[in-house]
Every structure is written in structure tokens, then in C-alpha cells.
Amino acid sequence: MPTVGVFNKEGNKVADMDLNENIFAAKVNEYALHQVVVALLANKRQGTQSTKTRSEVRGGGIKPWRQKGTGRARQGSIRAPQWIKGGIVFAPKPRDYRISVPKSMRKVAMKSALTSKVQENQMIILDSLNFEAPKTKNIIEMLRVLEANKALIITAESDEIVYKSARNIQGINIIPANNINVYDLLKYEKLIITKEAVSKIEEVYA
């Protein structure tokens, strides 16, 4: 059973916390991680790109000049791809990039991502993360003492005060525990998570 230190906002260690080994000490499956990340990025694509082919651009209904005798190359339409304002060859059209991944694979990938953070000593557990009012300076000072420049902060619930305090800090993202995903866990170097958020994750994935 992995054990991780619990720190306060001042960067002082206050306790140790035993983590669920089925979640934070699982076998790291790199294939599942890759598949889920590819699916997450693909599902973010809107797929609304659209350009016109030669059959859709305006004009070009008449042959620009006769076939023979002009000394110029034969042409059939001024809307052919080689003409200015002509159609696009293999024009991109709206499409759905969504990739479906089995629920079991998503679960394996999540456990692998969380386990990798523990194994690499990149997971920091906070006893609490409460502020009286939104203030970016508070988060910056906390990140400084925790030595976290690029971090993902996970709270148990959506916290507007914490969100407003951290939203303008470059390299920092804050999300509630029910919105965590594999891509964000791997993207950010450090994982800063509250004790309540850890309990919520264990409740869902245990």
C-alpha cells in the first residue's frame, strides 16, 4: 500500500496518508494510456472544416477557349484546381473525429496515470485548500513552497474562490475530482490534490 505525505498550504508536512493500492499502485499500462489520450484529443476536434471542390465553386460553366489552335494548354473550366479561385483537390469536409474507447480501458488508463504520479513522486496531497477570498498571490506562494511550476490542482468539489485565484497563473490548471482525465494528469508535471479529492477518487475507482 503506497504512502504519501500530506502537506499544508505553507509547505509543511503534517501527516502521512495510505492510498488504495488498486488505484495508486496498479500496473502501468502504456498502451491503454496512449489509446485514451488519442481518443481524448480526437474528441476535442470540432470537425467543422469545409472548403469547396471544383463542382461547388461559382462559375466555370463554359470552356475558357477552344481546344486546339490557340497555342495554349487545353482547359475545360476556369474553376479547375490549377486556376486562381478554382476548387480544392480533395477538399476537407465536415466529419466526426470521435473515437470510442471501452469503459474498462478508460479505467485502466486512469489508474495507470495516477500510479505513475505516485511512482515518480510527483503527487502532493494537501490537508485543505481553503481561502477567504480569491487572491492569486495565495496560490503563487503555495506553489512556490511546494516547488510546483507546472501543476494540476484537483479539488473535491468545484471551488470558485480557488478557481479564480489560480486561473491566471501560467502552467496551472484546476479541476474538480469528477472532471479529471488522463490527458491532464499526464500533461502537467505535478499533481496537487486535496485529501477529500483523493477519497472521492478512491470511492469511484476502487
Side-chain angles (χ1 to χ4, degrees):
M1 180 177 293
T3 301
V4 178
V6 179
F7 297 82
N8 56 21
K9 294 190 293 291
E10 290 73 32
N12 300 318
K13 185 176 179 180
V14 295
D16 288 318
M17 184 175 183
D18 294 330
L19 303 176
N20 190 317
E21 60 183 3
N22 293 326
I23 302 174
F24 296 96
K27 181 180 179 181
V28 177
N29 190 322
E30 294 183 359
Y31 174 76
L33 286 172
H34 177 265
Q35 290 295 103
V36 171
V37 169
V38 169
L40 285 170
L41 294 178
N43 296 346
K44 287 183 177 181
R45 300 183 67 176
Q46 292 183 332
T48 56
Q49 74 283 12
S50 181
T51 55
K52 294 181 179 181
T53 63
R54 62 180 297 170
S55 65
E56 296 170 319
V57 292
R58 186 177 180 182
I62 187 173
K63 190 174 176 67
W65 52 77
R66 60 195 177 98
Q67 182 81 346
K68 294 179 177 294
T70 64
R72 292 180 289 184
R74 55 194 176 188
Q75 299 291 336
S77 170
I78 62 171
R79 291 298 172 253
Q82 71 270 21
W83 284 75
I84 295 175
K85 297 184 180 179
I88 303 299
V89 181
F90 305 126
K93 294 295 181 182
R95 56 165 292 192
D96 185 9
Y97 289 94
R98 183 166 296 277
I99 298 176
S100 179
V101 178
K103 185 177 180 179
S104 58
M105 179 176 286
R106 295 199 303 267
K107 192 172 184 179
V108 169
M110 180 62 68
K111 291 181 179 181
S112 298
L114 292 170
T115 298
S116 66
K117 288 298 179 185
V118 175
Q119 292 178 348
E120 297 170 4
N121 296 321
Q122 299 296 336
M123 180 173 174
I124 302 172
I125 300 179
L126 294 178
D127 59 347
S128 65
L129 188 59
N130 301 318
F131 299 103
E132 296 179 357
K135 198 169 185 180
T136 304
K137 184 178 180 180
N138 294 334
I139 298 292
I140 291 177
E141 179 60 24
M142 182 191 73
L143 295 172
R144 185 188 65 81
V145 296
L146 294 176
E147 298 181 354
N149 296 322
K150 186 177 181 182
L152 175 66
I153 302 175
I154 300 178
T155 56
E157 304 291 343
S158 181
D159 192 322
E160 186 176 359
I161 293 178
V162 177
Y163 172 75
K164 288 183 176 180
S165 300
R167 63 182 175 181
N168 290 331
I169 305 176
Q170 186 176 6
I172 301 299
N173 188 20
I174 178 166
I175 57 176
N178 58 349
N179 286 347
I180 62 173
N181 60 81
V182 174
Y183 176 69
D184 284 337
L185 288 173
L186 298 178
K187 177 181 177 181
Y188 294 91
E189 181 181 357
K190 295 275 188 178
L191 173 60
I192 301 176
I193 183 171
T194 63
K195 287 197 305 183
E196 292 79 6
V198 171
S199 300
K200 195 167 185 178
I201 290 174
E202 290 182 342
E203 182 181 345
V204 172
Y205 290 97

